[in-house]
Amino acid sequence: MSGPERSMRTPLGRVRHHGAAGEGTGHFIAQRWTAIALALLAPWFVVNAALSIGGGSYTAVIDFLTDPVNAVGVILLVAVSFYHMALGMQEIIADYIHKPFSKIALLLLNAFVPFVLAAGAVFAVLLVNFGA
Amino acid sequence: MAGARPDQRPISPHVSIWRWHVTMASSILHRATGFGLYVAALGLALWLMAAAAGPQMYDPLMAFLMGPLGQIALYLIVAAIAYHLANGIRHLVFDTGAGLAPSEADTTAWFVILFAIAVPIGLWALLTFGGVR
């Protein structure tokens, strides 16, 4: 606990702050903490959603999403899982796509699409709860 | 090339002479299920937006999900979540340095695969015979 400099990053890594993929340790750590969070959120959602709205009716979905605990849980699930999956896809793209243009284009797409859809999904949950 | 080598020890194994390991399958499946769940999560966002948009948007989507193709997709998504969850925990254990001996890694890989087969069957049985509506 020697001051604010305490970090999992090595001094050399902090100076250069570029690994093979442009960065490294931050990605690794973010992938792990989102994984731990999702190990709780994902099974909670699957079991709860299946039991509450297994029949698939519209009213069942609205009932499910207007429960405050479910609403917060779904928003957390979307936020954390979309971050986790963007990190994972970034790794897949870095591994398999080598042409610079294709790689940059796919990395940009992977940076934007999950954010856009996550924002839409969170707004949808809010709309169900507070909308007209 | 080969003549320049001072000894005849085997070089890195080539794909064509590589024996299939369950740990190999577990690694490939982790990436494959992760990729699949990426698509599924985009579907989750669309599903939430359809629910917020109202029945006229939601009902056609739900008709698809309750149909045979949708049910197969949901079944596979649950299997993929179960696999990626269990194997993800396996990898978090690996990160601590534990469980990396070949025999242990083989055993846990098989356990993860069996878990991924059992979970969707279990959830389906719970929904069908569990007496919950």
Side-chain angles (χ1 to χ4, degrees), chain B residues 73-90:
Chain B
L74 286 173
Y75 191 89
L76 290 176
I77 288 168
V78 171
I81 290 174
Y83 183 87
H84 205 83
L85 168 72
N87 202 49
I89 291 169
R90 179 168 166 262

Side-chain angles (χ1 to χ4, degrees), chain B:
Chain B
M1 303 255 291
R5 293 180 63 81
D7 55 27
Q8 292 303 308
R9 295 170 62 228
I11 55 172
S12 184
H14 191 269
V15 172
S16 64
I17 57 162
W18 188 242
R19 185 166 65 86
W20 191 259
H21 290 275
V22 68
T23 44
M24 232 164 104
S26 78
S27 175
I28 294 166
L29 272 173
H30 196 71
R31 185 158 275 195
T33 51
F35 190 95
L37 290 172
Y38 188 103
V39 179
L42 298 182
L44 170 72
L46 295 177
W47 175 75
L48 287 168
M49 288 188 265
Q56 74 282 4
M57 294 291 280
Y58 182 81
D59 287 344
L61 180 60
M62 214 58 207
F64 167 75
L65 286 177
M66 299 310 282
L69 273 180
Q71 290 290 294
I72 290 169
L74 286 173
Y75 191 89
L76 290 176
I77 288 168
V78 171
I81 290 174
Y83 183 87
H84 205 83
L85 168 72
N87 202 49
I89 291 169
R90 179 168 166 262
H91 271 279
L92 288 172
V93 174
F94 284 166
D95 287 343
T96 70
L100 287 166
S103 60
E104 292 170 335
D106 281 356
T107 307
T108 51
W110 278 115
F111 175 81
V112 163
I113 291 167
L114 293 176
F115 181 79
I117 294 170
V119 164
I121 296 172
L123 188 65
W124 170 78
L126 181 67
L127 288 175
T128 310
F129 308 114
V132 282
R133 229 267 349 114

Side-chain angles (χ1 to χ4, degrees), chain A residues 49-65, chain B residues 47 51 54-55 58-63 65-66 133:
Chain A
L51 293 179
S52 305
I53 48 188
S57 77
Y58 177 72
T59 47
V61 177
I62 299 302
D63 284 349
F64 177 77
L65 290 176
Chain B
W47 175 75
Y58 182 81
D59 287 344
L61 180 60
M62 214 58 207
L65 286 177
M66 299 310 282
R133 229 267 349 114

Side-chain angles (χ1 to χ4, degrees), chain A residues 72-97:
Chain A
V72 171
V74 169
I75 288 172
L76 282 176
L77 174 74
V78 167
V80 179
S81 65
F82 277 55
Y83 185 30
H84 182 82
M85 77 195 207
L87 290 170
M89 189 61 78
Q90 184 190 342
E91 206 174 310
I92 294 178
I93 294 166
D95 278 357
Y96 300 136
I97 312 293

Side-chain angles (χ1 to χ4, degrees), chain A residues 14-63:
Chain A
R14 215 174 305 152
V15 171
R16 291 202 178 144
H17 105 92
H18 286 315
E23 49 89 58
T25 318
H27 183 288
F28 180 94
I29 293 170
Q31 187 125 56
R32 267 62 187 176
W33 75 253
T34 51
I36 292 166
L38 286 171
L40 302 171
L41 284 167
W44 165 82
F45 174 75
V46 169
V47 173
N48 243 357
L51 293 179
S52 305
I53 48 188
S57 77
Y58 177 72
T59 47
V61 177
I62 299 302
D63 284 349

